[in-house]
């Protein structure tokens, strides 16, 4: 595995690879890799001839008072895990290369960026779509692998790819969880033992919703109320949102029908965690 630290060398490597005509798979990440990220890399290695993984904590997708500065970073461990997963190129660009002095462009997707995490984190998705566009232009992948953990992100990026006629396939892979159900996240590293226990309520609330829907409940407000009760048992918990939306366009659903996305964002202390479940009725 080669570690590449500049856009120009990344482009050179990809140009050379392209001459051989391979299928290039790409896994964008912010690093501090865990099994959720690795599942994406492994799928890319399985499906593609060359796999590029990026590790870049993108400043423009963090709000002013968010955790950009203290976001966990460990490039040594990331490199070891990526290598073991079979990644060919680990792209670790610098801020000055990604956002040189005078950088003044933005890629903005409207509508599907306005609700859920977009409402709580203004400007977040502008940062995501801008950096992802840059990475797509640098790597020119055939297939890009994303985790269902960031369900809204996938919908936003699919929309961008469709609207801007970007030539690539997007694959969404299932959420990888710890054995007790907690969705793996780089931010879990911030949790104390007690907070980690409270964080389990996200998964438990999603399971509760699934159980209620299985029993025939289709009133979203009732399901959300029951999920709230369960989550608010935790002392250090503050709910950002719990929403039941259409799994394709994210419009709010008063009644459960067809395919819905149940999405949660919760603060455990200062740590913001997200989780979700798609249910087909
Ligand atoms: P991040 O480093 O958090 O920006 O995530 C990079 C990619 O890994 C995104 O496509 C995420 O959806 C995906 N990812 C993060 N956590 C998980 C998880 N627990 N299971 C599956 N994919 C994940």
């Amino acid at each position: 595995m080669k570690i590449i630290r500049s856009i120009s060398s990344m482009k050179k490597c990809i140009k050379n690879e392209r001459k051989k005509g391979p299928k290039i798979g790409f896994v964008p990440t912010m690093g501090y890799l865990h099994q959720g990220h690795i599942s994406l890399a492994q799928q890319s290695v399985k499906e593609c001839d060359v796999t590029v993984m990026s590790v870049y904590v993108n400043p423009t997708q963090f709000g002013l008072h968010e955790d950009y500065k203290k976001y966990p970073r460990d490039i040594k461990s990331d490199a070891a895990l990526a290598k073991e997963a079979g990644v060919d190129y680990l792209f670790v660009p610098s801020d000055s290369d990604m956002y040189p002095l005078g950088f003044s462009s933005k890629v903005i997707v409207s509508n599907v960026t306005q609700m859920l995490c977009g409402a709580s984190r203004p400007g977040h998705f502008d940062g995501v779509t801008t950096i992802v566009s840059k990475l797509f232009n640098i790597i020119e992948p055939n297939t890009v692998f994303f985790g269902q953990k960031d369900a809204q992100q996938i919908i936003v990026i699919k929309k961008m790819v469709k609207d801007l006629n970007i030539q690539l396939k997007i694959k969404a892979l299932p959420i990888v969880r710890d054995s007790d159900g907690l969705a793996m996240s780089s931010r879990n590293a911030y949790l104390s033992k007690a907070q980690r226990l409270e964080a389990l309520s996200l998964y438990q609330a999603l399971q509760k919703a699934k159980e209620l829907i299985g029993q025939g409940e289709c009133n979203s407000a009732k399901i959300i109320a029951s999920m709230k009760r369960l989550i608010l048992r935790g002392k250090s918990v503050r709910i950002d949102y719990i929403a039941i939306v259409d799994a394709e366009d994210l419009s709010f659903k008063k009644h459960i029908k067809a395919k819905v996305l149940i999405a949660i964002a919760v603060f455990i202390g200062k740590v913001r965690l997200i989780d979700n479940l798609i249910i087909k009725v």
Side-chain angles (χ1 to χ4, degrees), residues 99 131 139 186-187 230 240 242:
Y99 295 108
I131 199 69
I139 291 153
S186 306
R187 288 190 169 97
L230 204 153
D240 181 356
I242 300 179

Side-chain angles (χ1 to χ4, degrees), residues 19 37 56 78 84 107 119-120 138 173 207 239-240 258 264:
K19 281 186 197 148
H37 300 113
Y56 182 61
D78 288 351
E84 197 187 323
V107 177
S120 316
I138 295 162
L173 299 188
Q207 292 307 304
I239 293 173
D240 181 356
I264 305 183

Side-chain angles (χ1 to χ4, degrees), residues 106 139 171 227:
K106 245 186 204 180
I139 291 153
K171 294 238 166 142
M227 293 171 76

